[in-house]
Amino acid sequence: MNTPSASLPGGTWTLGDLTVTRLGYGAMQLAGPGVMGPPADHDGALAVLREAARLGITHVDTAGAYGPRVTNRLIREALHPYTASLHIVTKVGAVRDQQGGWLPARQPEDLRRAVHENLEDLGLDSLDVVNLRLGDARGLQPGSLAEPFEALAELRRQGLVRHLGVSNVTAEQIAEAQTIAPIVCVQNMYNLAYRQDDDLIDDLAAQGIAYVPFFPLGGFTPLQSTALSAVAARLDATPMSVALAWLLRRSPNILLIPGTSSVAHLRENAAGAGLRLSDADLAELDKIGHWRDTARPAGA
């Protein structure tokens, strides 16, 4: 049963047996340019993570490919030993090349190596949630996920992983994963303007499975809309704050992981997500998703 949180907008959600705040934090932006290398401001990155914890955020999203292995080590330096309420969600299935590209790495041995690297870098004996990332730089790619997901299910049976999820996936791939092992979350691209997963979100909500949108604010091309700007102006808020508040209202199973490398921006996201949107605001914002551009950036 998900109970409201007094300190953060949106309350909480339960991933399996783990209760997390619906407003979380995505650590990708803590790495260097292009999500490669260390941050320009090491102490500033640690300050962001510690501020997230101070605000009461209990859901931190990361990946060994960020850096690579940079954000996980920052999380450990900033927050270890972890409080019992803090839950770290990571993903496997991709590695980086020397040029910063994202290469698939989904063979069973790749996934075993990735899980052990995550454990080492985060300083954990077991990972709370591991998402299998599919697709490629062009987006979703159909096909069976049986071999890689079975490898993760085996790591779960060994106790190295508590819960599993999937990322950058089709509805068919989600259904296939569920025949192999339970999933607690799906991480796909979704935001106010890009709403191809509307039906999927509702289906997952009925099953008690979380939906975690990546690029909730548009990704590398921030959301821009006359309607969004108009609603933000009426509420004396930023467009990004309105976009986050809309996501929290969209469905109770949506968990947010907006990323930033700025303490000030983190606080702004936390406050902005609590905006009260009227029915008229929602109706105006919902119209934005009625136009749909098939082009999309690659998943994080």
Side-chain angles (χ1 to χ4, degrees):
M1 187 72 171
N2 300 308
T3 56
S5 165
S7 57
L8 285 171
T12 61
W13 184 264
T14 302
L15 298 170
D17 60 348
L18 309 175
T19 299
V20 298
T21 49
R22 288 183 64 209
L23 179 63
Y25 172 70
M28 183 174 73
Q29 293 187 32
L30 293 184
V35 202
M36 289 291 285
D41 182 356
H42 181 89
D43 290 344
L46 299 181
V48 170
L49 289 162
R50 289 168 179 154
E51 180 65 10
R54 190 195 69 78
L55 289 170
I57 289 171
T58 63
H59 174 197
V60 174
D61 180 85
T62 185
Y66 298 164
R69 304 183 72 172
V70 168
T71 62
N72 282 353
R73 291 169 177 171
L74 289 169
I75 290 168
R76 180 176 184 173
E77 183 177 354
L79 302 177
H80 194 277
Y82 308 113
T83 63
S85 62
L86 179 66
H87 300 296
I88 300 171
V89 177
T90 188
K91 65 180 71 67
V92 295
V95 294
R96 310 299 298 280
D97 62 21
Q98 292 299 315
Q99 292 71 45
W102 303 79
L103 305 179
R106 302 182 196 121
Q107 294 300 311
E109 59 270 25
D110 297 325
L111 301 176
R112 286 191 290 268
R113 182 184 311 110
V115 164
H116 282 282
E117 287 178 352
N118 273 272
L119 289 167
E120 177 185 348
D121 293 342
L122 290 166
L124 291 168
D125 295 322
S126 179
L127 299 172
D128 284 337
V129 183
V130 173
N131 287 315
L132 173 64
R133 182 188 186 277
L134 296 179
D136 59 21
R138 296 167 292 177
L140 304 180
Q141 296 295 322
S144 175
L145 52 58
E147 183 179 27
F149 204 70
E150 285 169 356
L152 288 182
E154 175 58 29
L155 293 170
R156 176 175 173 266
R157 286 189 288 271
Q158 294 172 15
L160 298 178
V161 177
R162 293 180 68 176
H163 300 290
L164 297 175
V166 286
S167 176
N168 213 31
V169 287
T170 66
E172 293 75 19
Q173 289 165 333
I174 293 168
E176 183 182 23
Q178 291 177 294
T179 68
I180 298 168
I183 63 170
V184 298
C185 56
V186 172
Q187 191 176 108
N188 272 6
M189 181 176 172
Y190 183 85
N191 55 50
L192 188 55
Y194 187 89
R195 297 180 56 182
Q196 272 76 348
D197 273 357
D198 268 337
D199 291 341
L200 176 61
I201 289 171
D202 296 335
D203 289 343
L204 293 173
Q207 299 177 61
I209 296 172
Y211 183 94
V212 188
F214 62 73
F215 293 150
L217 301 177
F220 301 112
T221 304
L223 293 173
Q224 296 182 19
S225 160
T226 301
L228 178 59
S229 297
V231 172
R234 285 202 304 270
L235 297 175
D236 191 25
T238 66
M240 297 302 97
S241 295
V242 173
L244 291 176
W246 178 86
L247 282 166
L248 285 177
R249 284 286 300 272
R250 167 62 183 82
S251 182
N253 67 322
I254 288 183
L255 310 184
L256 302 186
I257 51 169
T260 179
S261 58
S262 159
V263 168
H265 189 208
L266 174 67
R267 292 172 181 159
E268 183 179 285
N269 283 344
L275 286 175
R276 293 185 178 275
L277 301 178
S278 68
D279 290 343
D281 294 332
L282 289 171
E284 189 168 352
L285 293 169
D286 282 343
K287 293 177 183 177
I288 297 172
H290 289 175
W291 62 269
R292 299 183 179 181
D293 185 349
T294 56
R296 49 166 286 170

